[in-house]
Amino acid sequence: SKLEPDVYRAVVAEAKAVGLMAVGHVPASVTLDDAIAAGQATNEHLMRAEEFIAAALPADAPRPTRSGAAGGIFSSFGYWALYPQADKAKLREALSRLAQSGMVQCPTLVVQQGIARVGDGSGERDERMASVSPAFSAFWKGDSYANYAKFVDAAIPSMKAMVGEMHKAGVPIVAGTDLANPYVFAGSSLHDELRNFVEVGMPPAEALRSATSRPATLLGFKDQGAVEPGKLASIVLARANPLESIENAAKIEHVFLAGRHFARAALDGLLAQAKDAAQGKVKEGAAAEAKPGELTAPGEVVVRGVYRMKFQKFDAGTEEFLITKTGDGYHIVANSNPQGGMQPPSRSRIVLGTDRKVKSATWETVTENPI
């Protein structure tokens, strides 16, 4: 998100030169048209699509400033609120260019809806919270998300309408969720996103393709989709036809994952394990995270402290550190306690000579089965 234009163009060009796709966020420093011209293959979260709204607004329509009332990552939401005023013919023209470019869009409407639930408190009443780890739950309740929620909530209807227009224009769309953000629940939120797609006019069959064949094609899997001997079996068997109602896609009876079979009873057992793990009921023999211990190192203490980490405006945990001095150099030890995301707690140890050059360094996760 923070790449400068020249660095961004160099990254995309190098990716293409070595046969890779450039995917992800469109940085704030470039436009969506710039990203199309550079050859970026995918775009997440409808990033920079608000520029199409801005270009389609009447000349006398109010325009939010780039700094915005909330500043930074919140500022683009002002344009989404103006979507109803946009000239839809101009918008369709822009979306036609986007469709012709082939850039795949991954809207992740569920992450916007999840963040909006921080504001109204409804997320905490969701029964799926029973399977959410305390670390995730604490991360979701941060003040920054509460500030973000009011801007996101007002933008969601326009974002959904934009996805509907993208589908009509032939823009390729894949389903994604952005797991680890507030009230984006592992697995089931994908079904929430498919429902979003159908609500804005996408037929159930096309919604299913957005989560199956289209991402597989995007990732380079050419020989896919057939149920026959010799194929790697990854199949969901539902109790009812999802082509008749997308709700039926979540009525799962059997899963074959890379050839392994999970009947409904086995799937229910996995869900029960997830709830137990989230509530601290770890079964004997299962890996359990342990908190890093108190920092110690030989020699005289030079400095001891704690870094508070941020991801953009969001709290992302802490890193406690200690630096000591001995006759032959320095010792640095640090305990990292990430908040949110999937990183486990870890410990780093670095030994420097008197010239401050590294003599040795180790890093390990502080878990029952350390890496």
Side-chain angles (χ1 to χ4, degrees), residues 21-23 32 35-37 39-43 94-106 169-174 214 217-218:
M21 289 186 294
V23 302
L32 190 51
I36 291 170
Q40 184 168 328
T42 74
N43 178 33
L95 293 179
S96 177
R97 293 199 314 273
L98 183 61
Q100 290 170 13
S101 76
M103 179 190 276
V104 176
Q105 302 297 308
C106 184
V171 174
I173 295 172
V174 293
R214 183 165 294 118
T217 299
L218 175 67

Side-chain angles (χ1 to χ4, degrees), residues 344 346-347 363-371:
S346 63
R347 176 180 294 121
W363 175 89
E364 65 177 349
T365 58
V366 187
T367 54
E368 184 174 315
N369 299 309
I371 300 171

Side-chain angles (χ1 to χ4, degrees), residues 103-119:
M103 179 190 276
V104 176
Q105 302 297 308
C106 184
T108 64
L109 293 169
V110 287
V111 74
Q112 313 298 352
Q113 292 165 330
I115 292 170
R117 297 181 77 182
V118 174

Side-chain angles (χ1 to χ4, degrees), residues 52-316:
F52 291 166
I53 300 172
L57 287 174
D60 58 351
R63 282 169 167 75
T65 61
R66 173 54 63 187
S67 59
I73 61 174
F74 306 145
S75 61
S76 67
F77 285 97
Y79 278 107
W80 286 105
L82 299 175
Y83 176 88
Q85 301 178 43
D87 182 325
K88 298 306 184 289
K90 289 184 178 178
L91 190 60
R92 284 192 288 271
E93 183 181 334
L95 293 179
S96 177
R97 293 199 314 273
L98 183 61
Q100 290 170 13
S101 76
M103 179 190 276
V104 176
Q105 302 297 308
C106 184
T108 64
L109 293 169
V110 287
V111 74
Q112 313 298 352
Q113 292 165 330
I115 292 170
R117 297 181 77 182
V118 174
D120 63 22
S122 64
E124 289 301 301
R125 298 189 293 274
D126 195 303
E127 64 181 11
R128 293 174 290 182
M129 284 300 296
S131 299
V132 174
S133 72
F136 269 31
S137 180
F139 184 49
W140 294 354
K141 295 174 185 175
D143 290 341
S144 294
Y145 275 121
N147 294 332
Y148 195 8
K150 57 187 176 183
F151 293 94
V152 175
D153 191 36
I156 288 171
S158 296
M159 289 182 159
K160 291 185 73 171
M162 179 70 88
V163 172
E165 290 296 327
M166 285 180 172
H167 166 66
K168 290 178 188 175
V171 174
I173 295 172
V174 293
T177 64
D178 211 9
L179 181 65
N181 278 290
Y183 310 112
V184 176
F185 299 100
S188 61
S189 281
L190 180 61
H191 294 280
D192 296 340
E193 187 74 346
L194 298 187
R195 283 191 287 271
N196 281 327
F197 288 173
V198 171
E199 286 171 7
V200 299
M202 192 181 288
E206 184 63 17
L208 289 171
R209 290 188 191 103
S210 78
T212 54
S213 59
R214 183 165 294 118
T217 299
L218 175 67
L219 295 173
F221 293 97
K222 294 181 174 62
D223 186 17
Q224 49 153 318
V227 180
E228 60 188 25
K231 293 290 178 69
L232 185 65
S234 291
I235 305 167
V236 171
L237 180 64
R239 290 192 294 274
N241 188 355
L243 298 179
E244 296 173 357
S245 170
I246 199 64
E247 300 285 343
N248 291 337
K251 297 176 181 178
I252 296 168
E253 193 65 33
H254 295 269
V255 171
F256 298 85
L257 179 62
R260 297 174 63 202
H261 174 224
F262 300 85
R264 184 66 256 175
L267 297 172
D268 290 338
L270 291 172
L271 291 172
Q273 286 180 31
K275 288 182 180 180
D276 286 346
Q279 296 164 22
K281 303 173 185 176
V282 182
K283 292 185 177 181
E284 186 177 353
E289 289 188 356
K291 292 292 182 184
E294 183 180 356
L295 296 178
T296 60
E300 174 189 354
V301 174
V302 176
V303 63
R304 182 192 295 272
V306 177
Y307 284 111
R308 300 199 176 277
M309 298 182 284
K310 295 279 188 179
F311 173 74
Q312 295 181 340
K313 291 179 178 290
F314 306 116
D315 292 331

